[in-house]
Amino acid sequence: MVAYAEREGADAELWGVTGLLHDADYERFPDMDDTEKGHPRSIMAELERRDVPPEMVRAIAAHADFLGVPAETPMERTLVAVDELCGFLVACAYVRPEGIHGLTPKSVSKKLKQPSFAAAVNREDVRGGAEQLCVEFDEHVAFVIAALEARADELELHGRDAA
Ligand SMILES: [Fe+2]
């Protein structure tokens, strides 16, 4: 989110914090059918209570398609575009000795075609993300890989070779 915000000349702190918090209630309230507290309603209510910028709350709503809030602004579309992809790229990095380093869009596409690999990640969401941003899929994947690689220390993505 920070990398795309910087590329767009947008508010990198707002985008970054939105990315960090968008799933903050998921472990405690995973039941999305719970129309009162289910993810992401609890985190939205908590952030509203804390008077965060309303665009942060709206973006969090927009990443949950079942809430019927369409992703429209650049921040909203970017959150949707990077959410599942980041999870998938981290999963790819975990199974490689060299971690995130040297991971290519081509090998990511190969892994996407293996249904058993990181099975919880929705393939349609990953593929649809690039369309949301109107960028080529490989370009989008390469951009997000580079963004994660720049944070490989804090994300612990250096792989087994580093250990
Ligand atoms: Fe979520």
Side-chain angles (χ1 to χ4, degrees):
M1 290 298 283
V2 168
Y4 265 123
E6 285 170 349
R7 194 171 93 157
E8 299 292 311
D11 184 338
E13 187 177 358
L14 175 68
W15 287 39
V17 173
T18 301
L20 280 173
L21 293 177
H22 81 284
D23 272 344
D25 60 350
Y26 182 71
E27 284 182 31
R28 191 157 164 204
F29 302 105
D31 180 7
M32 297 173 211
D33 293 331
D34 173 354
T35 56
E36 199 193 320
K37 290 199 156 159
H39 169 71
R41 300 164 186 93
S42 288
I43 186 63
M44 288 167 62
E46 178 65 25
L47 292 173
E48 266 167 4
R49 203 176 63 76
R50 291 172 184 242
D51 268 334
V52 305
E55 55 267 41
M56 182 184 290
V57 180
R58 210 201 109 100
I60 293 173
H63 101 281
D65 50 8
F66 51 88
L67 292 184
V69 176
E72 285 168 351
T73 67
M75 180 166 79
E76 290 162 4
R77 283 186 289 115
T78 303
L79 181 60
V80 171
V82 302
D83 187 8
E84 293 288 286
L85 176 61
C86 281
F88 194 80
L89 295 178
V90 167
C92 291
Y94 281 163
V95 298
R96 303 174 74 249
E98 49 291 289
I100 193 83
H101 307 295
L103 181 64
T104 62
K106 196 178 166 193
S107 65
V108 172
S109 284
K110 235 165 123 183
K111 285 263 185 260
L112 280 169
K113 286 181 195 134
Q114 292 174 24
S116 60
F117 181 79
V121 174
N122 183 317
R123 269 45 180 180
E124 253 170 63
D125 288 352
V126 171
R127 292 250 166 227
E131 282 164 39
Q132 284 264 355
L133 294 183
C134 302
V135 290
E136 285 294 318
F137 182 71
D138 283 3
E139 185 198 328
H140 176 51
V141 172
F143 186 82
V144 177
I145 289 172
L148 293 175
E149 191 171 13
R151 307 267 181 153
D153 278 343
E154 54 202 293
L155 297 171
E156 299 184 7
L157 296 176
H158 289 299
R160 293 193 296 278
D161 282 358

